[in-house]
Amino acid sequence: HMGLRAAGQALSHVGRDRDAERQFRYAETLAMGAGQHIDVALARFGRGRVVGGAGGEALCMSARSLLEECGASSGLFAELIFTPR
């Protein structure tokens, strides 16, 4: 799922936000199916950053809550903190 998240970041960086959102959504779906809750949270956070606005903020908040439920640090989101164009 890390590869899909990396692809999402790269696509967003070059302005292909719709494709980036699809990559993050797919990574989230695969992680959910595998019961990998931390990966779900990371993909959801990345998707929220790409979507933006109120919907994106809701996704990011959901991702933070899920990460806390897993007992993991929000520092894991650092891999997805990128500077928008």
Side-chain angles (χ1 to χ4, degrees), residues 1 10 12 14 30 35 44 53 85:
H1 311 118
S12 179
V14 296
L30 290 177
R44 188 174 296 162
R85 302 166 301 291

Side-chain angles (χ1 to χ4, degrees), residues 6-20 82-85:
Q9 282 184 279
L11 288 164
S12 179
H13 186 70
V14 296
R16 294 177 53 195
D17 289 340
R18 184 175 291 148
D19 293 328
F82 49 91
T83 306
R85 302 166 301 291

Side-chain angles (χ1 to χ4, degrees), residues 3-67:
L4 292 170
R5 292 193 310 266
Q9 282 184 279
L11 288 164
S12 179
H13 186 70
V14 296
R16 294 177 53 195
D17 289 340
R18 184 175 291 148
D19 293 328
E21 195 270 336
R22 280 191 208 114
Q23 290 294 313
F24 284 120
R25 184 183 300 270
Y26 186 48
E28 184 178 348
T29 299
L30 290 177
M32 200 175 302
Q36 297 172 328
H37 302 293
I38 291 174
D39 285 318
V40 170
L42 293 172
R44 188 174 296 162
F45 185 83
R47 190 161 59 101
R49 300 266 309 186
V50 171
V51 169
E57 182 57 32
L59 287 167
C60 288
M61 288 175 56
S62 172
R64 285 185 186 97
S65 294
L66 182 55
L67 209 58

Side-chain angles (χ1 to χ4, degrees), residues 1-2 5-6 9 42 75-82:
H1 311 118
M2 184 184 289
R5 292 193 310 266
Q9 282 184 279
L42 293 172
L76 291 175
F77 290 135
E79 77 171 58
L80 295 168
I81 304 297
F82 49 91

